[in-house]
C-alpha cells in the first residue's frame, strides 16, 4: 500500500460556522467542495493522513515534522475555543519519514518545535475530515525556505515511507492561494494576485505538477500566496503515480483565493516523474548556457570551480579579451541556484590591477565569503548560474527621479556608509524601491535626510 490520494484545500478559519457566524455562506461553493473532498478521503479509509501546513513550524533551511504521540488544538485565536481537536500522531511513519529524508540529504526532522498546538492550517482540514472519518493517525509537516525542488523531494519521501510501512496514506496540501485579489480585501490588490490564481488553478486542475517549478519566487511573493510549497510537497508524494483529477472550485470572495482539487491514485505512470524531468530540462539549459558564456563569466566559473574543488586560486589566464587585462573597474560576481541568489560580492570601484583580477577575487568571495550564505559545496557547482557586472563610473544625482531601475544602479551614501544596488534586478520595480534597499544595505537610518545619491551603468555578462 502507498499513497491512495491527495487533496488541495484552503484553510480560512472563517469557513467554520462557529467562527464565520454566517459570513461563511459567502463562500458556500468552497464549503461544498470541502465536504466532497473530506467525503472522498473517508471513502479511501486512510491509515495515515499527512497534513502539510504553512502555519506549522517553519524554518529557512529545515522541514519541521511534528514530534511526540499527538497534539491538541482549538480555535481560541478566532474566538471559538469550543471547537477543539485531539490528534494522534503516526510515530512510526514520522520515524520512517525522517530516515528517508536523511538518506536523501534533505534537512528534515522533529527538532525545533516551538509550539506543540495544532495550527489552523491543520485544524481547518481536520474540521471537515473529522465529520466523516476519525479512524486515522496524523503526520503534520511544516514548510521551509528551501527551493521548491527540496519540497518535492520531501513529498517523494512521504510516498516512500508509505510504501515501506504499507500504510494507506492520504496527503492534504493545505494552503490558500493569493491574498492580493481585491483592493477592498484585507491585504489589498496586486496584479500578480489574480494572475497567480489563474495559473495555479490551471496547473493543479490538470495535475501538471511539473509546472509548479516554473513559478518564480518573486512572482509568488508578489501574489502573497501561502500554499505553493504545500502543493509542491503534495505533488512529490504523487510522483510517478497516475491520478484521476477533480477540479472542484475556486473562489476569491474576500480577496483571498481558495481552491479545492482532488487527486485519486489509479496506478503508476512512468510519464509523471516530474522532478526528474525538470532536472533533465535544467541540465540541458545549463549545458547550453555554459556553452554560450562569454569570457567574463567563463573566468568566474573557472575560478569558483577550481577554488571549491582544490582550495587554490587560479592565476589570470592567457587568451582573454584585451579589455580584461588593461582596464580597471568595479566588478560584481553573482551566483544563482534554482532561480535564487546563492552569492553576490563585488567592488564599487576598482581595487585591483585589472578586470580579470577583480573577477577572480570577487568570484571567490561570492562563493565562499558572502555572509548571507554558507560556502558553495562541490556538488552545487553544476547547478550554479553566473553573471558578471562591470560597473561604469558613478555620477552624483539630486533625486531618485534621475534613476531608471532597468538602466542604472544606485549608490546611497552617508558619511562612511555606502550601499549599492545593481540595476535590472527581479522584484525591484521602482527607483524608490532601489534607493530604499541600498539605504538598508548601508545601515543608514530611514529618516536620514543628509544622504548622497549616485547612479552608474553596468555591462552585464552572462
Amino acid at each position: 500500500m502507498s499513497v491512495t490520494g491527495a487533496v488541495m484545500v484552503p484553510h480560512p478559519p472563517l469557513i467554520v460556522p462557529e467562527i464565520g457566524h454566517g459570513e461563511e455562506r459567502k463562500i458556500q461553493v468552497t464549503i461544498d467542495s470541502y465536504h466532497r473532498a473530506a467525503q472522498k478521503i473517508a471513502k479511501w479509509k486512510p491509515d495515515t493522513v499527512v497534513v502539510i501546513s504553512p502555519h506549522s513550524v517553519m524554518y529557512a533551511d529545515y522541514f519541521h515534522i511534528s514530534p511526540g504521540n499527538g497534539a491538541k488544538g482549538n480555535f481560541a485565536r478566532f474566538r471559538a475555543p469550543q471547537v477543539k481537536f485531539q490528534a494522534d500522531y503516526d510515530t512510526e511513519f514520522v520515524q520512517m519519514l525522517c530516515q528517508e529524508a536523511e538518506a536523501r540529504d534533505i534537512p528534515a526532522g522533529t527538532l525545533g518545535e516551538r509550539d506543540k498546538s495544532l495550527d489552523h492550517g491543520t485544524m481547518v482540514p481536520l474540521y471537515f475530515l473529522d465529520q466523516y472519518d476519525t479512524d486515522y493517525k496524523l503526520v503534520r509537516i511544516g514548510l521551509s525556505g528551501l527551493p521548491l525542488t527540496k519540497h518535492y523531494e520531501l513529498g517523494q519521501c512521504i510516498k516512500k515511507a508509505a510504501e515501506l510501512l504499507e500504510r494507506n496514506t492520504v496527503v492534504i496540501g493545505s494552503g490558500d492561494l493569493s491574498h492580493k485579489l481585491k483592493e477592498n480585501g484585507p491585504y489589498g490588490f496586486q496584479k500578480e494576485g489574480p494572475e497567480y490564481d489563474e495559473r495555479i488553478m490551471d496547473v493543479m486542475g490538470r495535475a501538471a505538477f511539473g509546472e509548479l517549478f516554473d513559478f518564480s519566487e518573486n512572482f509568488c511573493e508578489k501574489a502573497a500566496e501561502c500554499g505553493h510549497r504545500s502543493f509542491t510537497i503534495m505533488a512529490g508524494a504523487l510522483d510517478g503515480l497516475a491520478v484521476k483529477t477533480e477540479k472542484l472550485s475556486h473562489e476569491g470572495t474576500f480577496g483571498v483565493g481558495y481552491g479545492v482539487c482532488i487527486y485519486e491514485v489509479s496506478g503508476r505512470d512512468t510519464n509523471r516523474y516530474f522532478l526528474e524531468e525538470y532536472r533533465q530540462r535544467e541540465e540541458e539549459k545549463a549545458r547550453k548556457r555554459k556553452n554560450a558564456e562569454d569570457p567574463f563569466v567563463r573566468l568566474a566559473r573557472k575560478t569558483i570551480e577550481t577554488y571549491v574543488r582544490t582550495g587554490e586560486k587560479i592565476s589570470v589566464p592567457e587568451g582573454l579579451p584585451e579589455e580584461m587585462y588593461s582596464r580597471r573597474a568595479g566588478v560584481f560576481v553573482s551566483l544563482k541556484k534554482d532561480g535564487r541568489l546563492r552569492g553576490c560580492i563585488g567592488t564599487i570601484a576598482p581595487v585591483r590591477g585589472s578586470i580579470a583580477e577583480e573577477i577572480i577575487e570577487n568570484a571567490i568571495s561570492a562563493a565562499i565569503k558572502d555572509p548571507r550564505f554558507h560556502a558553495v559545496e562541490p556538488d552545487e557547482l553544476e547547478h550554479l548560474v553566473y553573471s558578471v557586472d562591470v560597473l561604469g563610473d558613478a555620477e552624483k544625482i539630486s533625486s531618485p527621479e534621475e534613476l531608471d531601475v532597468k538602466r542604472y544602479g544606485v549608490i546611497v551614501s552617508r558619511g562612511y556608509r555606502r550601499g549599492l544596488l545593481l540595476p535590472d534586478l527581479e522584484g525591484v520595480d521602482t527607483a524608490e524601491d532601489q534607493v530604499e534597499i541600498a539605504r538598508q544595505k548601508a545601515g543608514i537610518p530611514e529618516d536620514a535626510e543628509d544622504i548622497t545619491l549616485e547612479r552608474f551603468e553596468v555591462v552585464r555578462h552572462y
Side-chain angles (χ1 to χ4, degrees):
M1 301 177 75
S2 180
V3 175
T4 305
V7 299
M8 161 193 171
V9 291
H11 50 242
L14 177 142
I15 207 170
V16 176
E18 291 87 343
I19 299 172
H21 299 294
E23 284 292 296
E24 75 278 3
R25 289 193 288 270
K26 294 178 181 178
I27 51 171
Q28 190 63 45
V29 172
T30 297
I31 293 172
D32 294 341
S33 296
Y34 228 128
H35 280 291
R36 285 183 60 186
Q39 289 167 353
K40 179 66 77 171
I41 295 174
K43 183 179 179 181
W44 292 331
K45 300 184 182 303
D47 303 311
T48 303
V49 173
V50 179
V51 176
I52 305 150
S53 170
H55 297 285
S56 184
V57 179
M58 181 174 178
Y59 291 98
D61 56 356
Y62 179 78
F63 294 101
H64 179 76
I65 304 168
S66 294
N69 294 318
K72 299 178 181 179
N74 62 59
F75 283 121
R77 278 185 58 205
F78 305 97
R79 299 182 181 179
Q82 72 276 22
V83 184
K84 301 177 181 179
F85 300 86
Q86 167 72 56
D88 295 325
Y89 287 150
D90 189 335
T91 56
E92 191 177 11
F93 195 108
V94 169
Q95 183 179 8
M96 182 64 73
L97 178 56
C98 291
Q99 290 175 2
E100 286 300 310
E102 183 178 9
R104 294 186 62 150
D105 198 27
I106 299 170
T110 56
L111 301 176
E113 183 169 62
R114 297 192 294 261
D115 184 357
K116 186 175 181 178
S117 302
L118 296 173
D119 62 283
H120 76 269
T122 300
M123 291 188 292
V124 171
L126 296 188
Y127 174 84
F128 287 91
L129 176 57
D130 287 357
Q131 296 178 48
Y132 302 98
D133 181 20
T134 57
D135 189 21
Y136 63 85
K137 289 191 175 181
L138 181 69
V139 175
R140 182 167 62 122
I141 303 174
L143 309 179
S144 80
L146 294 166
L148 290 175
T149 50
K150 284 294 182 185
H151 287 73
Y152 194 95
E153 284 187 80
L154 185 62
Q156 291 176 315
C157 292
I158 293 171
K159 175 189 168 190
K160 184 67 173 178
E163 291 172 346
L164 292 173
L165 293 171
E166 297 186 339
R167 289 281 202 280
N168 180 4
T169 303
V170 171
V171 180
I172 298 177
S174 174
D176 297 337
L177 309 186
S178 172
H179 289 61
K180 296 277 191 176
L181 298 183
K182 291 185 175 182
E183 290 284 2
N184 62 352
Y187 306 97
F189 176 81
Q190 188 86 12
K191 65 180 181 62
E192 287 82 2
E195 290 173 7
Y196 176 84
D197 274 31
E198 182 178 356
R199 279 184 64 187
I200 195 66
M201 289 307 298
D202 173 59
V203 169
M204 301 305 287
R206 292 182 289 114
F209 299 140
E211 296 178 29
L212 287 168
F213 302 119
D214 298 333
F215 289 68
S216 75
E217 186 173 309
N218 180 58
F219 176 68
C220 288
E221 184 176 333
K222 287 186 174 181
E225 56 73 32
C226 81
H228 200 89
R229 288 175 172 83
S230 291
F231 309 150
T232 304
I233 295 176
M234 183 195 75
L238 299 172
D239 188 58
L241 300 177
V243 294
K244 176 186 175 184
T245 305
E246 293 183 73
K247 178 181 175 180
L248 298 186
S249 65
H250 170 252
E251 289 188 289
T253 305
F254 303 115
V256 179
Y258 306 137
V260 181
C261 294
I262 298 173
Y263 307 95
E264 183 168 10
V265 173
S266 58
R268 297 193 176 273
D269 188 339
T270 57
N271 294 315
R272 294 183 62 81
Y273 291 108
F274 293 113
L275 182 57
E276 183 180 320
E277 293 175 3
Y278 171 75
R279 284 181 169 154
Q280 289 174 354
R281 292 196 306 270
E282 290 301 298
E283 287 173 6
E284 180 60 26
K285 287 181 185 177
R287 281 193 292 270
K288 291 180 178 178
R289 186 169 51 244
K290 192 172 182 178
N291 291 335
E293 288 174 348
D294 74 4
F296 293 78
V297 174
R298 283 201 299 271
L299 179 58
R301 178 186 290 278
K302 182 179 180 181
T303 298
I304 289 175
E305 290 182 349
T306 301
Y307 191 88
V308 170
R309 287 177 174 139
T310 69
E312 296 181 2
K313 182 175 73 173
I314 67 171
S315 300
V316 175
E318 297 180 355
L320 299 175
E322 177 59 30
E323 174 193 12
M324 297 178 70
Y325 299 115
S326 60
R327 184 182 162 205
R328 300 178 71 234
V331 171
F332 273 75
V333 176
S334 301
L335 315 175
K336 285 189 174 183
K337 179 184 175 185
D338 294 324
R340 308 171 73 188
L341 187 66
R342 184 62 181 84
C344 179
I345 294 290
T347 45
I348 295 176
V351 296
R352 296 171 184 90
S354 68
I355 287 177
E357 293 173 71
E358 210 83 41
I359 290 174
I360 290 171
E361 294 294 336
N362 293 339
I364 292 172
S365 294
I368 306 299
K369 300 178 182 178
D370 190 327
R372 296 168 294 181
F373 306 96
H374 62 80
V376 169
E377 301 286 347
D379 61 0
E380 296 181 86
L381 293 172
E382 290 302 315
H383 305 289
L384 296 180
V385 177
Y386 295 76
S387 64
V388 175
D389 289 295
V390 179
L391 278 59
D393 294 334
E395 59 176 335
K396 287 187 178 181
I397 57 175
S398 57
S399 76
E401 294 179 359
E402 297 178 69
L403 290 171
D404 178 335
V405 294
K406 296 295 183 183
R407 179 180 176 184
Y408 295 112
V410 66
I411 301 170
V412 180
S413 306
R414 186 192 191 212
Y416 68 90
R417 295 183 180 274
R418 301 183 83 192
L420 176 146
L421 196 70
L422 296 169
D424 198 18
L425 297 179
E426 185 178 21
V428 182
D429 299 322
T430 68
E432 289 72 22
D433 291 341
Q434 198 177 32
V435 171
E436 175 63 15
I437 296 170
R439 181 194 62 74
Q440 290 177 0
K441 291 176 71 174
I444 297 172
E446 185 176 358
D447 58 355
E449 297 181 357
D450 54 335
I451 61 172
T452 300
L453 300 180
E454 297 172 88
R455 71 182 185 185
F456 60 90
E457 294 187 88
V458 306
V459 177
R460 181 161 293 164
H461 298 267
Y462 295 101

